Amino acid sequence: MALQRWLVASLACFHAAALSIPRSCNDSTVDLTKLDASMDSIEALSVLQQATMRNLYLEDQRSMPQRSTCSLTNAAVRRDWEHMCPRERKEFIQAVQCLRAKPSIADPDFARAARTRYDDFTAVHVNLTNFVHATGSFLTWHRYFIWSFEKALRDECGYPGYLPYWNWFSHADDPRSSPVFDGSDTSIGGDGAYFPHNGSAAFFGSVPLPPANGGGCIASGPFKDIQATMGPIAAGMFGMEPPVASFHEYNPRCIRRDLNHHVSSRFFTTANLLNLTIGDASKTVKSFQDEFNGRPQDNGFMGLHSAGHYTINGENTDFYTSVNDPSFFFHHAMIDKIFWMWQVLHPAESREVAGTLTLRNEPPLGNATIYDPLIMGVNAPTRMIHELMGTMDGTPLCYIYA
């Protein structure tokens, strides 16, 4: 068995690219009508992936004469952390640690508490939180945000790969056993140390959640006891440090987690996946986005976005400073994967936006349009929403998901 595991891990690196992109599409059309909520969620996700890749392949063939900068032959491939080999995982970990060691380049007036290059990303998220959550720019702003992080890892820290994602549906019954969170040297750190607390309350305190077995500082793995400099600002987990008086207050502290299977097992289901991608919620960008973000008034339904944050818990319950925890980028890469799949499977709706410009429309600034700016501070040039609507538009995006 040990030899078999070694062979699987060794071959994973070699075959990764070949497994992710079809070399021909002579197979029959994938029948999405056969998908059912009773199916295993990993199997359902695989079928959706096949359908997405087939649609992409056919579109790539149709647009090949016009498409000069990005195609399936040169698109970057973002992959499931679980399917990456140990060497690839360690390369990513080292690049994140590199950004955490480099000095901040942000304007102090914008990010007074930032000390590292990594902090520059937290600072942008903190300053723009009320404009990029539950708004018309939520999906595209976060797409551009995680792309800018990926670019910094590659350009500034020599990372040879692309941003990995956390497959929510794998180990949903026990996230602590996931290769993402198992605390090994090829994880992004394990659970928090045990810290007695009264659980969490999502959606501004309206949805109570029980505690799990962590709650304290990350206790194992490459990011054990890492420090944050900003926040907390609006943490949803009880027992966290009191909120800072100002976004700009320098407040060094450890990053907490409380990996919570109560949330993951309840919400990372086949039914929720299918509803978003091919069900009723998939019919318009508004219904897709609203379902993703949750319906707290409906029996505390969290949606896959909030469920991911509250599965990790701790720092991730603060929607301002959740970026402090590197797991943020894994979670939002998975959100982007589902968004990518939905766009490819629903091309007629894929270039639309819905929602206001501000969280809860406070202050009321009107509705978002595809010409609204996506601001990244020092991390990337400001672009408009329509420039980030397609992951293969080539301006600047050129990637797919495996």
Side-chain angles (χ1 to χ4, degrees), residues 282-285 342-353:
S282 73
K283 292 180 179 178
T284 68
V285 68
W342 175 82
Q343 285 184 301
V344 175
L345 296 175
H346 300 272
E349 294 82 27
S350 66
R351 302 281 168 159
E352 303 294 327
V353 295

Side-chain angles (χ1 to χ4, degrees), residues 65-108:
Q66 294 79 34
R67 190 191 296 263
S68 59
T69 59
C70 183
S71 70
L72 283 176
T73 60
N74 66 352
V77 181
R78 291 181 177 173
R79 295 160 49 214
D80 183 344
W81 183 258
E82 192 166 350
H83 296 160
M84 293 165 61
C85 67
R87 171 182 57 78
E88 293 171 316
R89 294 182 194 172
K90 288 181 178 179
E91 288 171 343
F92 178 82
I93 291 165
Q94 289 163 5
V96 174
Q97 291 170 333
C98 164
L99 280 188
R100 293 183 60 82
K102 286 179 174 287
S104 168
I105 61 172
D107 184 338

